[in-house]
mmCIF file with all atom_site columns, all heavy atoms in Angstrom:
data_model
loop_
_atom_site.group_PDB
_atom_site.id
_atom_site.type_symbol
_atom_site.label_atom_id
_atom_site.label_alt_id
_atom_site.label_comp_id
_atom_site.label_asym_id
_atom_site.label_entity_id
_atom_site.label_seq_id
_atom_site.pdbx_PDB_ins_code
_atom_site.Cartn_x
_atom_site.Cartn_y
_atom_site.Cartn_z
_atom_site.occupancy
_atom_site.B_iso_or_equiv
_atom_site.pdbx_formal_charge
_atom_site.auth_seq_id
_atom_site.auth_comp_id
_atom_site.auth_asym_id
_atom_site.auth_atom_id
_atom_site.pdbx_PDB_model_num
ATOM 1   N N   . GLU N 1 284 ? -2.776  52.514 -27.141 1.00 0.00 ? 284 GLU N N   1
ATOM 2   C CA  . GLU N 1 284 ? -2.493  52.848 -28.511 1.00 0.00 ? 284 GLU N CA  1
ATOM 3   C C   . GLU N 1 284 ? -1.780  51.705 -29.186 1.00 0.00 ? 284 GLU N C   1
ATOM 4   O O   . GLU N 1 284 ? -2.158  51.243 -30.295 1.00 0.00 ? 284 GLU N O   1
ATOM 5   C CB  . GLU N 1 284 ? -1.655  54.111 -28.556 1.00 0.00 ? 284 GLU N CB  1
ATOM 6   C CG  . GLU N 1 284 ? -1.677  54.955 -29.815 1.00 0.00 ? 284 GLU N CG  1
ATOM 7   C CD  . GLU N 1 284 ? -0.688  56.072 -29.741 1.00 0.00 ? 284 GLU N CD  1
ATOM 8   O OE1 . GLU N 1 284 ? -0.443  56.628 -28.655 1.00 0.00 ? 284 GLU N OE1 1
ATOM 9   O OE2 . GLU N 1 284 ? -0.138  56.362 -30.809 1.00 0.00 ? 284 GLU N OE2 1
ATOM 10  N N   . ILE N 1 285 ? -0.773  51.214 -28.575 1.00 0.00 ? 285 ILE N N   1
ATOM 11  C CA  . ILE N 1 285 ? 0.026   50.119 -29.161 1.00 0.00 ? 285 ILE N CA  1
ATOM 12  C C   . ILE N 1 285 ? -0.864  48.890 -29.320 1.00 0.00 ? 285 ILE N C   1
ATOM 13  O O   . ILE N 1 285 ? -0.866  48.248 -30.366 1.00 0.00 ? 285 ILE N O   1
ATOM 14  C CB  . ILE N 1 285 ? 1.229   49.786 -28.294 1.00 0.00 ? 285 ILE N CB  1
ATOM 15  C CG1 . ILE N 1 285 ? 2.209   51.002 -28.186 1.00 0.00 ? 285 ILE N CG1 1
ATOM 16  C CG2 . ILE N 1 285 ? 1.952   48.512 -28.747 1.00 0.00 ? 285 ILE N CG2 1
ATOM 17  C CD1 . ILE N 1 285 ? 3.315   50.831 -27.213 1.00 0.00 ? 285 ILE N CD1 1
ATOM 18  N N   . LYS N 1 286 ? -1.655  48.567 -28.256 1.00 0.00 ? 286 LYS N N   1
ATOM 19  C CA  . LYS N 1 286 ? -2.438  47.408 -28.381 1.00 0.00 ? 286 LYS N CA  1
ATOM 20  C C   . LYS N 1 286 ? -3.503  47.438 -29.459 1.00 0.00 ? 286 LYS N C   1
ATOM 21  O O   . LYS N 1 286 ? -3.878  46.497 -30.162 1.00 0.00 ? 286 LYS N O   1
ATOM 22  C CB  . LYS N 1 286 ? -3.100  47.117 -26.997 1.00 0.00 ? 286 LYS N CB  1
ATOM 23  C CG  . LYS N 1 286 ? -2.209  46.423 -26.025 1.00 0.00 ? 286 LYS N CG  1
ATOM 24  C CD  . LYS N 1 286 ? -2.988  46.121 -24.751 1.00 0.00 ? 286 LYS N CD  1
ATOM 25  C CE  . LYS N 1 286 ? -2.341  45.012 -23.991 1.00 0.00 ? 286 LYS N CE  1
ATOM 26  N NZ  . LYS N 1 286 ? -3.068  44.577 -22.740 1.00 0.00 ? 286 LYS N NZ  1
ATOM 27  N N   . MET N 1 287 ? -4.051  48.693 -29.609 1.00 0.00 ? 287 MET N N   1
ATOM 28  C CA  . MET N 1 287 ? -5.043  48.861 -30.719 1.00 0.00 ? 287 MET N CA  1
ATOM 29  C C   . MET N 1 287 ? -4.455  48.578 -32.054 1.00 0.00 ? 287 MET N C   1
ATOM 30  O O   . MET N 1 287 ? -5.038  47.932 -32.929 1.00 0.00 ? 287 MET N O   1
ATOM 31  C CB  . MET N 1 287 ? -5.650  50.243 -30.671 1.00 0.00 ? 287 MET N CB  1
ATOM 32  C CG  . MET N 1 287 ? -6.759  50.286 -29.634 1.00 0.00 ? 287 MET N CG  1
ATOM 33  S SD  . MET N 1 287 ? -7.684  51.893 -29.640 1.00 0.00 ? 287 MET N SD  1
ATOM 34  C CE  . MET N 1 287 ? -6.809  52.870 -28.424 1.00 0.00 ? 287 MET N CE  1
ATOM 35  N N   . GLN N 1 288 ? -3.182  49.083 -32.245 1.00 0.00 ? 288 GLN N N   1
ATOM 36  C CA  . GLN N 1 288 ? -2.480  48.721 -33.490 1.00 0.00 ? 288 GLN N CA  1
ATOM 37  C C   . GLN N 1 288 ? -2.264  47.247 -33.677 1.00 0.00 ? 288 GLN N C   1
ATOM 38  O O   . GLN N 1 288 ? -2.468  46.743 -34.773 1.00 0.00 ? 288 GLN N O   1
ATOM 39  C CB  . GLN N 1 288 ? -1.148  49.490 -33.526 1.00 0.00 ? 288 GLN N CB  1
ATOM 40  C CG  . GLN N 1 288 ? -1.220  51.020 -33.523 1.00 0.00 ? 288 GLN N CG  1
ATOM 41  C CD  . GLN N 1 288 ? -1.828  51.509 -34.738 1.00 0.00 ? 288 GLN N CD  1
ATOM 42  O OE1 . GLN N 1 288 ? -1.732  50.965 -35.861 1.00 0.00 ? 288 GLN N OE1 1
ATOM 43  N NE2 . GLN N 1 288 ? -2.609  52.542 -34.654 1.00 0.00 ? 288 GLN N NE2 1
ATOM 44  N N   . ILE N 1 289 ? -1.815  46.636 -32.619 1.00 0.00 ? 289 ILE N N   1
ATOM 45  C CA  . ILE N 1 289 ? -1.612  45.175 -32.697 1.00 0.00 ? 289 ILE N CA  1
ATOM 46  C C   . ILE N 1 289 ? -2.856  44.453 -32.991 1.00 0.00 ? 289 ILE N C   1
ATOM 47  O O   . ILE N 1 289 ? -2.891  43.530 -33.818 1.00 0.00 ? 289 ILE N O   1
ATOM 48  C CB  . ILE N 1 289 ? -0.925  44.686 -31.385 1.00 0.00 ? 289 ILE N CB  1
ATOM 49  C CG1 . ILE N 1 289 ? 0.505   45.301 -31.163 1.00 0.00 ? 289 ILE N CG1 1
ATOM 50  C CG2 . ILE N 1 289 ? -0.851  43.162 -31.345 1.00 0.00 ? 289 ILE N CG2 1
ATOM 51  C CD1 . ILE N 1 289 ? 1.105   45.056 -29.822 1.00 0.00 ? 289 ILE N CD1 1
ATOM 52  N N   . ALA N 1 290 ? -3.934  44.821 -32.291 1.00 0.00 ? 290 ALA N N   1
ATOM 53  C CA  . ALA N 1 290 ? -5.216  44.238 -32.551 1.00 0.00 ? 290 ALA N CA  1
ATOM 54  C C   . ALA N 1 290 ? -5.605  44.289 -34.031 1.00 0.00 ? 290 ALA N C   1
ATOM 55  O O   . ALA N 1 290 ? -6.091  43.301 -34.585 1.00 0.00 ? 290 ALA N O   1
ATOM 56  C CB  . ALA N 1 290 ? -6.264  44.802 -31.689 1.00 0.00 ? 290 ALA N CB  1
ATOM 57  N N   . LYS N 1 291 ? -5.407  45.425 -34.624 1.00 0.00 ? 291 LYS N N   1
ATOM 58  C CA  . LYS N 1 291 ? -5.779  45.645 -36.009 1.00 0.00 ? 291 LYS N CA  1
ATOM 59  C C   . LYS N 1 291 ? -4.988  44.753 -36.922 1.00 0.00 ? 291 LYS N C   1
ATOM 60  O O   . LYS N 1 291 ? -5.449  44.091 -37.778 1.00 0.00 ? 291 LYS N O   1
ATOM 61  C CB  . LYS N 1 291 ? -5.536  47.134 -36.425 1.00 0.00 ? 291 LYS N CB  1
ATOM 62  C CG  . LYS N 1 291 ? -6.795  47.861 -36.886 1.00 0.00 ? 291 LYS N CG  1
ATOM 63  C CD  . LYS N 1 291 ? -6.506  49.384 -36.982 1.00 0.00 ? 291 LYS N CD  1
ATOM 64  C CE  . LYS N 1 291 ? -5.854  49.740 -38.287 1.00 0.00 ? 291 LYS N CE  1
ATOM 65  N NZ  . LYS N 1 291 ? -5.697  51.252 -38.333 1.00 0.00 ? 291 LYS N NZ  1
ATOM 66  N N   . LYS N 1 292 ? -3.726  44.702 -36.575 1.00 0.00 ? 292 LYS N N   1
ATOM 67  C CA  . LYS N 1 292 ? -2.741  43.920 -37.328 1.00 0.00 ? 292 LYS N CA  1
ATOM 68  C C   . LYS N 1 292 ? -3.111  42.420 -37.339 1.00 0.00 ? 292 LYS N C   1
ATOM 69  O O   . LYS N 1 292 ? -3.087  41.787 -38.334 1.00 0.00 ? 292 LYS N O   1
ATOM 70  C CB  . LYS N 1 292 ? -1.304  44.137 -36.856 1.00 0.00 ? 292 LYS N CB  1
ATOM 71  C CG  . LYS N 1 292 ? -0.245  43.374 -37.578 1.00 0.00 ? 292 LYS N CG  1
ATOM 72  C CD  . LYS N 1 292 ? -0.006  43.886 -38.988 1.00 0.00 ? 292 LYS N CD  1
ATOM 73  C CE  . LYS N 1 292 ? 1.233   43.207 -39.630 1.00 0.00 ? 292 LYS N CE  1
ATOM 74  N NZ  . LYS N 1 292 ? 1.436   43.632 -40.991 1.00 0.00 ? 292 LYS N NZ  1
ATOM 75  N N   . LEU N 1 293 ? -3.368  41.950 -36.134 1.00 0.00 ? 293 LEU N N   1
ATOM 76  C CA  . LEU N 1 293 ? -3.520  40.512 -35.929 1.00 0.00 ? 293 LEU N CA  1
ATOM 77  C C   . LEU N 1 293 ? -4.765  39.994 -36.626 1.00 0.00 ? 293 LEU N C   1
ATOM 78  O O   . LEU N 1 293 ? -4.925  38.767 -36.917 1.00 0.00 ? 293 LEU N O   1
ATOM 79  C CB  . LEU N 1 293 ? -3.462  40.075 -34.468 1.00 0.00 ? 293 LEU N CB  1
ATOM 80  C CG  . LEU N 1 293 ? -2.093  40.297 -33.849 1.00 0.00 ? 293 LEU N CG  1
ATOM 81  C CD1 . LEU N 1 293 ? -2.123  40.016 -32.344 1.00 0.00 ? 293 LEU N CD1 1
ATOM 82  C CD2 . LEU N 1 293 ? -1.044  39.385 -34.494 1.00 0.00 ? 293 LEU N CD2 1
ATOM 83  N N   . LYS N 1 294 ? -5.767  40.871 -36.808 1.00 0.00 ? 294 LYS N N   1
ATOM 84  C CA  . LYS N 1 294 ? -7.037  40.438 -37.450 1.00 0.00 ? 294 LYS N CA  1
ATOM 85  C C   . LYS N 1 294 ? -6.796  40.098 -38.935 1.00 0.00 ? 294 LYS N C   1
ATOM 86  O O   . LYS N 1 294 ? -7.660  39.429 -39.479 1.00 0.00 ? 294 LYS N O   1
ATOM 87  C CB  . LYS N 1 294 ? -8.060  41.635 -37.363 1.00 0.00 ? 294 LYS N CB  1
ATOM 88  C CG  . LYS N 1 294 ? -8.738  41.709 -36.024 1.00 0.00 ? 294 LYS N CG  1
ATOM 89  C CD  . LYS N 1 294 ? -10.040 42.507 -36.177 1.00 0.00 ? 294 LYS N CD  1
ATOM 90  C CE  . LYS N 1 294 ? -10.792 42.692 -34.866 1.00 0.00 ? 294 LYS N CE  1
ATOM 91  N NZ  . LYS N 1 294 ? -10.288 43.886 -34.165 1.00 0.00 ? 294 LYS N NZ  1
ATOM 92  N N   . THR N 1 295 ? -5.660  40.497 -39.439 1.00 0.00 ? 295 THR N N   1
ATOM 93  C CA  . THR N 1 295 ? -5.499  40.370 -40.893 1.00 0.00 ? 295 THR N CA  1
ATOM 94  C C   . THR N 1 295 ? -4.976  38.984 -41.305 1.00 0.00 ? 295 THR N C   1
ATOM 95  O O   . THR N 1 295 ? -4.859  38.751 -42.502 1.00 0.00 ? 295 THR N O   1
ATOM 96  C CB  . THR N 1 295 ? -4.499  41.420 -41.425 1.00 0.00 ? 295 THR N CB  1
ATOM 97  O OG1 . THR N 1 295 ? -3.237  41.235 -40.893 1.00 0.00 ? 295 THR N OG1 1
ATOM 98  C CG2 . THR N 1 295 ? -5.014  42.845 -41.113 1.00 0.00 ? 295 THR N CG2 1
ATOM 99  N N   . ASN N 1 296 ? -4.694  38.112 -40.393 1.00 0.00 ? 296 ASN N N   1
ATOM 100 C CA  . ASN N 1 296 ? -4.311  36.775 -40.789 1.00 0.00 ? 296 ASN N CA  1
ATOM 101 C C   . ASN N 1 296 ? -4.698  35.771 -39.717 1.00 0.00 ? 296 ASN N C   1
ATOM 102 O O   . ASN N 1 296 ? -5.125  36.113 -38.622 1.00 0.00 ? 296 ASN N O   1
ATOM 103 C CB  . ASN N 1 296 ? -2.817  36.734 -41.181 1.00 0.00 ? 296 ASN N CB  1
ATOM 104 C CG  . ASN N 1 296 ? -2.546  35.853 -42.355 1.00 0.00 ? 296 ASN N CG  1
ATOM 105 O OD1 . ASN N 1 296 ? -3.111  34.752 -42.467 1.00 0.00 ? 296 ASN N OD1 1
ATOM 106 N ND2 . ASN N 1 296 ? -1.746  36.297 -43.286 1.00 0.00 ? 296 ASN N ND2 1
ATOM 107 N N   . THR N 1 297 ? -4.369  34.518 -39.977 1.00 0.00 ? 297 THR N N   1
ATOM 108 C CA  . THR N 1 297 ? -4.786  33.470 -39.081 1.00 0.00 ? 297 THR N CA  1
ATOM 109 C C   . THR N 1 297 ? -3.863  33.304 -37.866 1.00 0.00 ? 297 THR N C   1
ATOM 110 O O   . THR N 1 297 ? -2.752  33.762 -37.887 1.00 0.00 ? 297 THR N O   1
ATOM 111 C CB  . THR N 1 297 ? -4.904  32.110 -39.813 1.00 0.00 ? 297 THR N CB  1
ATOM 112 O OG1 . THR N 1 297 ? -3.532  31.736 -40.172 1.00 0.00 ? 297 THR N OG1 1
ATOM 113 C CG2 . THR N 1 297 ? -5.774  32.158 -41.030 1.00 0.00 ? 297 THR N CG2 1
ATOM 114 N N   . THR N 1 298 ? -4.406  32.649 -36.833 1.00 0.00 ? 298 THR N N   1
ATOM 115 C CA  . THR N 1 298 ? -3.594  32.337 -35.677 1.00 0.00 ? 298 THR N CA  1
ATOM 116 C C   . THR N 1 298 ? -2.326  31.532 -36.073 1.00 0.00 ? 298 THR N C   1
ATOM 117 O O   . THR N 1 298 ? -1.242  31.866 -35.626 1.00 0.00 ? 298 THR N O   1
ATOM 118 C CB  . THR N 1 298 ? -4.411  31.503 -34.701 1.00 0.00 ? 298 THR N CB  1
ATOM 119 O OG1 . THR N 1 298 ? -5.546  32.334 -34.229 1.00 0.00 ? 298 THR N OG1 1
ATOM 120 C CG2 . THR N 1 298 ? -3.617  31.087 -33.440 1.00 0.00 ? 298 THR N CG2 1
ATOM 121 N N   . GLN N 1 299 ? -2.469  30.553 -36.898 1.00 0.00 ? 299 GLN N N   1
ATOM 122 C CA  . GLN N 1 299 ? -1.370  29.737 -37.261 1.00 0.00 ? 299 GLN N CA  1
ATOM 123 C C   . GLN N 1 299 ? -0.266  30.510 -37.965 1.00 0.00 ? 299 GLN N C   1
ATOM 124 O O   . GLN N 1 299 ? 0.917   30.395 -37.675 1.00 0.00 ? 299 GLN N O   1
ATOM 125 C CB  . GLN N 1 299 ? -1.840  28.573 -38.130 1.00 0.00 ? 299 GLN N CB  1
ATOM 126 C CG  . GLN N 1 299 ? -0.927  27.360 -38.206 1.00 0.00 ? 299 GLN N CG  1
ATOM 127 C CD  . GLN N 1 299 ? -0.516  26.919 -36.857 1.00 0.00 ? 299 GLN N CD  1
ATOM 128 O OE1 . GLN N 1 299 ? -1.279  26.921 -35.920 1.00 0.00 ? 299 GLN N OE1 1
ATOM 129 N NE2 . GLN N 1 299 ? 0.808   26.592 -36.773 1.00 0.00 ? 299 GLN N NE2 1
ATOM 130 N N   . PHE N 1 300 ? -0.751  31.403 -38.841 1.00 0.00 ? 300 PHE N N   1
ATOM 131 C CA  . PHE N 1 300 ? 0.224   32.308 -39.561 1.00 0.00 ? 300 PHE N CA  1
ATOM 132 C C   . PHE N 1 300 ? 1.064   33.080 -38.674 1.00 0.00 ? 300 PHE N C   1
ATOM 133 O O   . PHE N 1 300 ? 2.325   33.116 -38.761 1.00 0.00 ? 300 PHE N O   1
ATOM 134 C CB  . PHE N 1 300 ? -0.654  33.209 -40.503 1.00 0.00 ? 300 PHE N CB  1
ATOM 135 C CG  . PHE N 1 300 ? 0.173   34.182 -41.300 1.00 0.00 ? 300 PHE N CG  1
ATOM 136 C CD1 . PHE N 1 300 ? 0.688   33.857 -42.510 1.00 0.00 ? 300 PHE N CD1 1
ATOM 137 C CD2 . PHE N 1 300 ? 0.388   35.461 -40.815 1.00 0.00 ? 300 PHE N CD2 1
ATOM 138 C CE1 . PHE N 1 300 ? 1.389   34.718 -43.286 1.00 0.00 ? 300 PHE N CE1 1
ATOM 139 C CE2 . PHE N 1 300 ? 1.184   36.353 -41.592 1.00 0.00 ? 300 PHE N CE2 1
ATOM 140 C CZ  . PHE N 1 300 ? 1.659   36.007 -42.796 1.00 0.00 ? 300 PHE N CZ  1
ATOM 141 N N   . TRP N 1 301 ? 0.449   33.719 -37.675 1.00 0.00 ? 301 TRP N N   1
ATOM 142 C CA  . TRP N 1 301 ? 1.184   34.569 -36.690 1.00 0.00 ? 301 TRP N CA  1
ATOM 143 C C   . TRP N 1 301 ? 2.086   33.642 -35.778 1.00 0.00 ? 301 TRP N C   1
ATOM 144 O O   . TRP N 1 301 ? 3.217   33.977 -35.524 1.00 0.00 ? 301 TRP N O   1
ATOM 145 C CB  . TRP N 1 301 ? 0.239   35.364 -35.886 1.00 0.00 ? 301 TRP N CB  1
ATOM 146 C CG  . TRP N 1 301 ? -0.640  36.341 -36.597 1.00 0.00 ? 301 TRP N CG  1
ATOM 147 C CD1 . TRP N 1 301 ? -2.007  36.383 -36.615 1.00 0.00 ? 301 TRP N CD1 1
ATOM 148 C CD2 . TRP N 1 301 ? -0.165  37.346 -37.480 1.00 0.00 ? 301 TRP N CD2 1
ATOM 149 N NE1 . TRP N 1 301 ? -2.373  37.441 -37.434 1.00 0.00 ? 301 TRP N NE1 1
ATOM 150 C CE2 . TRP N 1 301 ? -1.263  38.020 -37.950 1.00 0.00 ? 301 TRP N CE2 1
ATOM 151 C CE3 . TRP N 1 301 ? 1.100   37.773 -37.928 1.00 0.00 ? 301 TRP N CE3 1
ATOM 152 C CZ2 . TRP N 1 301 ? -1.266  39.062 -38.868 1.00 0.00 ? 301 TRP N CZ2 1
ATOM 153 C CZ3 . TRP N 1 301 ? 1.169   38.826 -38.810 1.00 0.00 ? 301 TRP N CZ3 1
ATOM 154 C CH2 . TRP N 1 301 ? 0.050   39.485 -39.282 1.00 0.00 ? 301 TRP N CH2 1
ATOM 155 N N   . LEU N 1 302 ? 1.500   32.562 -35.316 1.00 0.00 ? 302 LEU N N   1
ATOM 156 C CA  . LEU N 1 302 ? 2.271   31.700 -34.433 1.00 0.00 ? 302 LEU N CA  1
ATOM 157 C C   . LEU N 1 302 ? 3.543   31.164 -35.042 1.00 0.00 ? 302 LEU N C   1
ATOM 158 O O   . LEU N 1 302 ? 4.653   31.182 -34.335 1.00 0.00 ? 302 LEU N O   1
ATOM 159 C CB  . LEU N 1 302 ? 1.480   30.495 -33.928 1.00 0.00 ? 302 LEU N CB  1
ATOM 160 C CG  . LEU N 1 302 ? 0.424   30.703 -32.858 1.00 0.00 ? 302 LEU N CG  1
ATOM 161 C CD1 . LEU N 1 302 ? -0.364  29.462 -32.518 1.00 0.00 ? 302 LEU N CD1 1
ATOM 162 C CD2 . LEU N 1 302 ? 1.093   31.329 -31.578 1.00 0.00 ? 302 LEU N CD2 1
ATOM 163 N N   . GLU N 1 303 ? 3.506   30.849 -36.308 1.00 0.00 ? 303 GLU N N   1
ATOM 164 C CA  . GLU N 1 303 ? 4.724   30.381 -36.970 1.00 0.00 ? 303 GLU N CA  1
ATOM 165 C C   . GLU N 1 303 ? 5.818   31.488 -36.910 1.00 0.00 ? 303 GLU N C   1
ATOM 166 O O   . GLU N 1 303 ? 6.987   31.174 -36.575 1.00 0.00 ? 303 GLU N O   1
ATOM 167 C CB  . GLU N 1 303 ? 4.466   30.031 -38.459 1.00 0.00 ? 303 GLU N CB  1
ATOM 168 C CG  . GLU N 1 303 ? 3.961   28.604 -38.600 1.00 0.00 ? 303 GLU N CG  1
ATOM 169 C CD  . GLU N 1 303 ? 3.282   28.364 -39.974 1.00 0.00 ? 303 GLU N CD  1
ATOM 170 O OE1 . GLU N 1 303 ? 3.569   29.177 -40.899 1.00 0.00 ? 303 GLU N OE1 1
ATOM 171 O OE2 . GLU N 1 303 ? 2.500   27.425 -40.069 1.00 0.00 ? 303 GLU N OE2 1
ATOM 172 N N   . ARG N 1 304 ? 5.422   32.688 -37.255 1.00 0.00 ? 304 ARG N N   1
ATOM 173 C CA  . ARG N 1 304 ? 6.366   33.742 -37.202 1.00 0.00 ? 304 ARG N CA  1
ATOM 174 C C   . ARG N 1 304 ? 6.888   34.102 -35.831 1.00 0.00 ? 304 ARG N C   1
ATOM 175 O O   . ARG N 1 304 ? 8.101   34.323 -35.574 1.00 0.00 ? 304 ARG N O   1
ATOM 176 C CB  . ARG N 1 304 ? 5.788   35.000 -37.911 1.00 0.00 ? 304 ARG N CB  1
ATOM 177 C CG  . ARG N 1 304 ? 5.801   34.865 -39.375 1.00 0.00 ? 304 ARG N CG  1
ATOM 178 C CD  . ARG N 1 304 ? 4.578   35.525 -40.085 1.00 0.00 ? 304 ARG N CD  1
ATOM 179 N NE  . ARG N 1 304 ? 4.601   35.200 -41.489 1.00 0.00 ? 304 ARG N NE  1
ATOM 180 C CZ  . ARG N 1 304 ? 4.221   34.000 -41.998 1.00 0.00 ? 304 ARG N CZ  1
ATOM 181 N NH1 . ARG N 1 304 ? 3.796   33.101 -41.195 1.00 0.00 ? 304 ARG N NH1 1
ATOM 182 N NH2 . ARG N 1 304 ? 4.334   33.773 -43.301 1.00 0.00 ? 304 ARG N NH2 1
ATOM 183 N N   . LEU N 1 305 ? 5.959   34.140 -34.912 1.00 0.00 ? 305 LEU N N   1
ATOM 184 C CA  . LEU N 1 305 ? 6.400   34.475 -33.528 1.00 0.00 ? 305 LEU N CA  1
ATOM 185 C C   . LEU N 1 305 ? 7.341   33.389 -32.980 1.00 0.00 ? 305 LEU N C   1
ATOM 186 O O   . LEU N 1 305 ? 8.324   33.735 -32.329 1.00 0.00 ? 305 LEU N O   1
ATOM 187 C CB  . LEU N 1 305 ? 5.145   34.610 -32.637 1.00 0.00 ? 305 LEU N CB  1
ATOM 188 C CG  . LEU N 1 305 ? 4.244   35.861 -33.008 1.00 0.00 ? 305 LEU N CG  1
ATOM 189 C CD1 . LEU N 1 305 ? 2.881   35.693 -32.399 1.00 0.00 ? 305 LEU N CD1 1
ATOM 190 C CD2 . LEU N 1 305 ? 4.893   37.142 -32.478 1.00 0.00 ? 305 LEU N CD2 1
ATOM 191 N N   . ARG N 1 306 ? 6.984   32.192 -33.219 1.00 0.00 ? 306 ARG N N   1
ATOM 192 C CA  . ARG N 1 306 ? 7.844   31.119 -32.703 1.00 0.00 ? 306 ARG N CA  1
ATOM 193 C C   . ARG N 1 306 ? 9.205   31.008 -33.304 1.00 0.00 ? 306 ARG N C   1
ATOM 194 O O   . ARG N 1 306 ? 10.160  30.735 -32.614 1.00 0.00 ? 306 ARG N O   1
ATOM 195 C CB  . ARG N 1 306 ? 7.137   29.713 -32.848 1.00 0.00 ? 306 ARG N CB  1
ATOM 196 C CG  . ARG N 1 306 ? 5.887   29.638 -32.004 1.00 0.00 ? 306 ARG N CG  1
ATOM 197 C CD  . ARG N 1 306 ? 5.430   28.280 -31.673 1.00 0.00 ? 306 ARG N CD  1
ATOM 198 N NE  . ARG N 1 306 ? 4.346   28.418 -30.707 1.00 0.00 ? 306 ARG N NE  1
ATOM 199 C CZ  . ARG N 1 306 ? 3.162   27.785 -30.771 1.00 0.00 ? 306 ARG N CZ  1
ATOM 200 N NH1 . ARG N 1 306 ? 2.949   27.018 -31.858 1.00 0.00 ? 306 ARG N NH1 1
ATOM 201 N NH2 . ARG N 1 306 ? 2.243   27.922 -29.814 1.00 0.00 ? 306 ARG N NH2 1
ATOM 202 N N   . LYS N 1 307 ? 9.254   31.358 -34.584 1.00 0.00 ? 307 LYS N N   1
ATOM 203 C CA  . LYS N 1 307 ? 10.566  31.382 -35.245 1.00 0.00 ? 307 LYS N CA  1
ATOM 204 C C   . LYS N 1 307 ? 11.447  32.377 -34.503 1.00 0.00 ? 307 LYS N C   1
ATOM 205 O O   . LYS N 1 307 ? 12.698  32.201 -34.481 1.00 0.00 ? 307 LYS N O   1
ATOM 206 C CB  . LYS N 1 307 ? 10.403  31.817 -36.668 1.00 0.00 ? 307 LYS N CB  1
ATOM 207 C CG  . LYS N 1 307 ? 11.493  31.289 -37.558 1.00 0.00 ? 307 LYS N CG  1
ATOM 208 C CD  . LYS N 1 307 ? 11.494  31.689 -39.026 1.00 0.00 ? 307 LYS N CD  1
ATOM 209 C CE  . LYS N 1 307 ? 10.234  31.945 -39.680 1.00 0.00 ? 307 LYS N CE  1
ATOM 210 N NZ  . LYS N 1 307 ? 10.418  32.287 -41.123 1.00 0.00 ? 307 LYS N NZ  1
#
Side-chain angles (χ1 to χ4, degrees):
Chain N
E284 204 184 325
I285 296 172
K286 280 184 156 184
M287 279 189 266
Q288 294 296 327
I289 294 172
K291 241 169 79 178
K292 178 73 173 176
L293 292 175
K294 281 202 181 84
T295 65
N296 219 316
T297 66
T298 295
Q299 201 47 42
F300 178 87
W301 299 124
L302 281 180
E303 275 163 20
R304 282 147 187 77
L305 292 162
R306 291 203 173 131
K307 206 183 331 181

